[in-house]
Amino acid sequence: MIPYSPERIRIVLVEPENPINVGTVMRAMKNMGFSELYLVHPAEMDMQKTQISAHRTDDLLQNIHTCDTLDEALTGVHESYGFSARTRSETWATLDMESAVGRAISITRNDQNVAYVFGRERTGLTNDELLRCTCRVHIETSSYSSLNLAQAVLLAVYATFRQSKSAGDSPVSRPVVQIDNHLPTSVPATIDAQRRLIERIESMLVDISYFKSQAPNSAMHRIQNILMRADLHDDEIQLLMGICAEVSNYARLIERGIRPPKIQANGKLKT
Ligand code: SAH
């Protein structure tokens, strides 16, 4: 088994503005053995101020990766955790920090990479940025939940450092934690609902002539495995059934020579 390697966990700061924060982040990273710092579209900074708070972290400073976009900073990453001061919402899969850190450590031991993503000092991460993260991580606080950026990073790297020590060298398989973001009103799907979804997917794939040279059984078994792993709830089954129905309808219209208008994700007509 591969030992825990903090260089497989990168710290990504999205549009940081304050040079003292960036320096303090570097110092926290060095204290806890981290070396990979990514800055996404950082503001122009007085690097002297960064260097003062960074305190003897020249190696990290030389190694900073500056990127134009978050996607660029996430290249080569297998899971990304979006740290957010906002308390739990139903929209996002959320992990508490201990679970996220345990998961991150196990991923590095599978020789894979993780990103801890932190938002802007004033406004945090946008929804679009959170969508690029495997899940959201909230650090528990009193009712005043907004930590200083560098302090949030320190808590994350410290928790990782501590857990990496206590986890020993025993292999941890992924996923160590189920990410549960089901709506409170939804219930786990029954086997027959799952079966209906699999049949619906199969008929949709027939409608779009997917099975050209593919062996249908092998593809369908793999899809079934994915769905079983996904721990689907009834509302999610409905969503996927609805998508399949729309794809089939679309294929039928095309067959009849009708080109339906394209509606974009924002509800606007695509011209
Ligand atoms: N007003 C902003 C707070 C930004 S603090 C907001 O509401 O989102 C800067 C960054 O520090 C946040 O984007 C987040 O990445 C991190 N952070 C601050 N407090 C946190 C908390 N309690 N849990 C997780 N991350 C936190």
Side-chain angles (χ1 to χ4, degrees), residues 136-150:
R136 215 187 63 133
V137 179
H138 179 69
I139 303 171
E140 222 183 316
T141 59
S142 70
S143 59
Y144 177 45
S145 68
S146 180
L147 292 155
N148 161 271
L149 169 64

PDB file of all heavy atoms in Angstrom, residues 136-150:
ATOM      1  N   ARG A 136     -19.052  19.322  -0.728  1.00  0.00           N
ATOM      2  CA  ARG A 136     -18.790  20.541   0.021  1.00  0.00           C
ATOM      3  C   ARG A 136     -18.328  20.150   1.418  1.00  0.00           C
ATOM      4  O   ARG A 136     -18.810  19.156   1.971  1.00  0.00           O
ATOM      5  CB  ARG A 136     -20.126  21.276   0.126  1.00  0.00           C
ATOM      6  CG  ARG A 136     -20.100  22.748   0.079  1.00  0.00           C
ATOM      7  CD  ARG A 136     -21.504  23.209   0.371  1.00  0.00           C
ATOM      8  NE  ARG A 136     -21.856  22.793   1.725  1.00  0.00           N
ATOM      9  CZ  ARG A 136     -22.423  23.583   2.626  1.00  0.00           C
ATOM     10  NH1 ARG A 136     -22.740  24.808   2.319  1.00  0.00           N
ATOM     11  NH2 ARG A 136     -22.718  23.139   3.831  1.00  0.00           N
ATOM     12  N   VAL A 137     -17.412  20.906   1.969  1.00  0.00           N
ATOM     13  CA  VAL A 137     -16.974  20.613   3.335  1.00  0.00           C
ATOM     14  C   VAL A 137     -17.238  21.840   4.194  1.00  0.00           C
ATOM     15  O   VAL A 137     -16.877  22.960   3.813  1.00  0.00           O
ATOM     16  CB  VAL A 137     -15.461  20.271   3.381  1.00  0.00           C
ATOM     17  CG1 VAL A 137     -15.020  19.996   4.810  1.00  0.00           C
ATOM     18  CG2 VAL A 137     -15.161  19.074   2.499  1.00  0.00           C
ATOM     19  N   HIS A 138     -17.884  21.601   5.313  1.00  0.00           N
ATOM     20  CA  HIS A 138     -18.148  22.701   6.239  1.00  0.00           C
ATOM     21  C   HIS A 138     -17.401  22.424   7.541  1.00  0.00           C
ATOM     22  O   HIS A 138     -17.519  21.340   8.098  1.00  0.00           O
ATOM     23  CB  HIS A 138     -19.654  22.814   6.490  1.00  0.00           C
ATOM     24  CG  HIS A 138     -19.999  23.902   7.439  1.00  0.00           C
ATOM     25  ND1 HIS A 138     -19.848  25.234   7.127  1.00  0.00           N
ATOM     26  CD2 HIS A 138     -20.444  23.861   8.713  1.00  0.00           C
ATOM     27  CE1 HIS A 138     -20.194  25.962   8.168  1.00  0.00           C
ATOM     28  NE2 HIS A 138     -20.571  25.157   9.144  1.00  0.00           N
ATOM     29  N   ILE A 139     -16.625  23.394   7.995  1.00  0.00           N
ATOM     30  CA  ILE A 139     -15.924  23.240   9.280  1.00  0.00           C
ATOM     31  C   ILE A 139     -16.867  23.743  10.368  1.00  0.00           C
ATOM     32  O   ILE A 139     -17.338  24.893  10.306  1.00  0.00           O
ATOM     33  CB  ILE A 139     -14.609  24.052   9.304  1.00  0.00           C
ATOM     34  CG1 ILE A 139     -13.695  23.627   8.135  1.00  0.00           C
ATOM     35  CG2 ILE A 139     -13.896  23.875  10.638  1.00  0.00           C
ATOM     36  CD1 ILE A 139     -12.470  24.517   7.942  1.00  0.00           C
ATOM     37  N   GLU A 140     -17.109  22.876  11.318  1.00  0.00           N
ATOM     38  CA  GLU A 140     -18.079  23.230  12.362  1.00  0.00           C
ATOM     39  C   GLU A 140     -17.569  24.386  13.217  1.00  0.00           C
ATOM     40  O   GLU A 140     -16.398  24.422  13.600  1.00  0.00           O
ATOM     41  CB  GLU A 140     -18.297  21.998  13.240  1.00  0.00           C
ATOM     42  CG  GLU A 140     -19.742  21.808  13.601  1.00  0.00           C
ATOM     43  CD  GLU A 140     -19.898  20.626  14.515  1.00  0.00           C
ATOM     44  OE1 GLU A 140     -19.272  19.580  14.265  1.00  0.00           O
ATOM     45  OE2 GLU A 140     -20.640  20.775  15.492  1.00  0.00           O
ATOM     46  N   THR A 141     -18.442  25.308  13.494  1.00  0.00           N
ATOM     47  CA  THR A 141     -18.097  26.475  14.331  1.00  0.00           C
ATOM     48  C   THR A 141     -19.301  26.794  15.216  1.00  0.00           C
ATOM     49  O   THR A 141     -20.322  26.107  15.140  1.00  0.00           O
ATOM     50  CB  THR A 141     -17.862  27.725  13.447  1.00  0.00           C
ATOM     51  OG1 THR A 141     -19.067  27.967  12.715  1.00  0.00           O
ATOM     52  CG2 THR A 141     -16.715  27.561  12.482  1.00  0.00           C
ATOM     53  N   SER A 142     -19.190  27.886  15.971  1.00  0.00           N
ATOM     54  CA  SER A 142     -20.370  28.404  16.660  1.00  0.00           C
ATOM     55  C   SER A 142     -21.310  28.955  15.588  1.00  0.00           C
ATOM     56  O   SER A 142     -21.038  28.804  14.393  1.00  0.00           O
ATOM     57  CB  SER A 142     -19.953  29.529  17.617  1.00  0.00           C
ATOM     58  OG  SER A 142     -19.565  30.649  16.834  1.00  0.00           O
ATOM     59  N   SER A 143     -22.365  29.656  15.989  1.00  0.00           N
ATOM     60  CA  SER A 143     -23.315  30.137  14.973  1.00  0.00           C
ATOM     61  C   SER A 143     -22.658  31.136  14.010  1.00  0.00           C
ATOM     62  O   SER A 143     -23.143  31.355  12.913  1.00  0.00           O
ATOM     63  CB  SER A 143     -24.546  30.750  15.630  1.00  0.00           C
ATOM     64  OG  SER A 143     -24.121  31.811  16.446  1.00  0.00           O
ATOM     65  N   TYR A 144     -21.527  31.727  14.418  1.00  0.00           N
ATOM     66  CA  TYR A 144     -20.783  32.598  13.495  1.00  0.00           C
ATOM     67  C   TYR A 144     -19.817  31.703  12.722  1.00  0.00           C
ATOM     68  O   TYR A 144     -18.780  31.288  13.250  1.00  0.00           O
ATOM     69  CB  TYR A 144     -20.044  33.674  14.297  1.00  0.00           C
ATOM     70  CG  TYR A 144     -19.187  34.577  13.441  1.00  0.00           C
ATOM     71  CD1 TYR A 144     -19.676  35.107  12.254  1.00  0.00           C
ATOM     72  CD2 TYR A 144     -17.892  34.903  13.816  1.00  0.00           C
ATOM     73  CE1 TYR A 144     -18.895  35.925  11.457  1.00  0.00           C
ATOM     74  CE2 TYR A 144     -17.097  35.724  13.036  1.00  0.00           C
ATOM     75  CZ  TYR A 144     -17.605  36.225  11.856  1.00  0.00           C
ATOM     76  OH  TYR A 144     -16.829  37.040  11.065  1.00  0.00           O
ATOM     77  N   SER A 145     -20.170  31.385  11.481  1.00  0.00           N
ATOM     78  CA  SER A 145     -19.474  30.280  10.814  1.00  0.00           C
ATOM     79  C   SER A 145     -18.347  30.716   9.877  1.00  0.00           C
ATOM     80  O   SER A 145     -17.633  29.884   9.350  1.00  0.00           O
ATOM     81  CB  SER A 145     -20.488  29.447  10.023  1.00  0.00           C
ATOM     82  OG  SER A 145     -20.973  30.220   8.949  1.00  0.00           O
ATOM     83  N   SER A 146     -18.207  32.036   9.655  1.00  0.00           N
ATOM     84  CA  SER A 146     -17.234  32.471   8.653  1.00  0.00           C
ATOM     85  C   SER A 146     -15.830  32.610   9.254  1.00  0.00           C
ATOM     86  O   SER A 146     -15.538  33.552   9.972  1.00  0.00           O
ATOM     87  CB  SER A 146     -17.702  33.804   8.067  1.00  0.00           C
ATOM     88  OG  SER A 146     -16.791  34.232   7.110  1.00  0.00           O
ATOM     89  N   LEU A 147     -14.966  31.638   8.922  1.00  0.00           N
ATOM     90  CA  LEU A 147     -13.580  31.678   9.399  1.00  0.00           C
ATOM     91  C   LEU A 147     -12.747  32.544   8.468  1.00  0.00           C
ATOM     92  O   LEU A 147     -13.083  32.704   7.290  1.00  0.00           O
ATOM     93  CB  LEU A 147     -12.985  30.269   9.378  1.00  0.00           C
ATOM     94  CG  LEU A 147     -13.556  29.254  10.359  1.00  0.00           C
ATOM     95  CD1 LEU A 147     -13.333  27.837   9.835  1.00  0.00           C
ATOM     96  CD2 LEU A 147     -12.893  29.427  11.712  1.00  0.00           C
ATOM     97  N   ASN A 148     -11.641  33.033   8.973  1.00  0.00           N
ATOM     98  CA  ASN A 148     -10.670  33.683   8.101  1.00  0.00           C
ATOM     99  C   ASN A 148     -10.109  32.607   7.150  1.00  0.00           C
ATOM    100  O   ASN A 148      -9.938  31.451   7.546  1.00  0.00           O
ATOM    101  CB  ASN A 148      -9.565  34.293   8.990  1.00  0.00           C
ATOM    102  CG  ASN A 148      -8.314  34.568   8.208  1.00  0.00           C
ATOM    103  OD1 ASN A 148      -7.443  33.697   8.103  1.00  0.00           O
ATOM    104  ND2 ASN A 148      -8.222  35.742   7.631  1.00  0.00           N
ATOM    105  N   LEU A 149      -9.851  33.014   5.918  1.00  0.00           N
ATOM    106  CA  LEU A 149      -9.397  32.056   4.899  1.00  0.00           C
ATOM    107  C   LEU A 149      -8.200  31.222   5.380  1.00  0.00           C
ATOM    108  O   LEU A 149      -8.219  29.986   5.326  1.00  0.00           O
ATOM    109  CB  LEU A 149      -9.031  32.826   3.619  1.00  0.00           C
ATOM    110  CG  LEU A 149      -8.306  32.060   2.527  1.00  0.00           C
ATOM    111  CD1 LEU A 149      -9.187  30.943   1.970  1.00  0.00           C
ATOM    112  CD2 LEU A 149      -7.896  33.000   1.386  1.00  0.00           C
ATOM    113  N   ALA A 150      -7.156  31.884   5.882  1.00  0.00           N
ATOM    114  CA  ALA A 150      -5.938  31.150   6.269  1.00  0.00           C
ATOM    115  C   ALA A 150      -6.204  30.252   7.474  1.00  0.00           C
ATOM    116  O   ALA A 150      -5.621  29.170   7.593  1.00  0.00           O
ATOM    117  CB  ALA A 150      -4.815  32.138   6.575  1.00  0.00           C
TER     118      ALA A 150
END
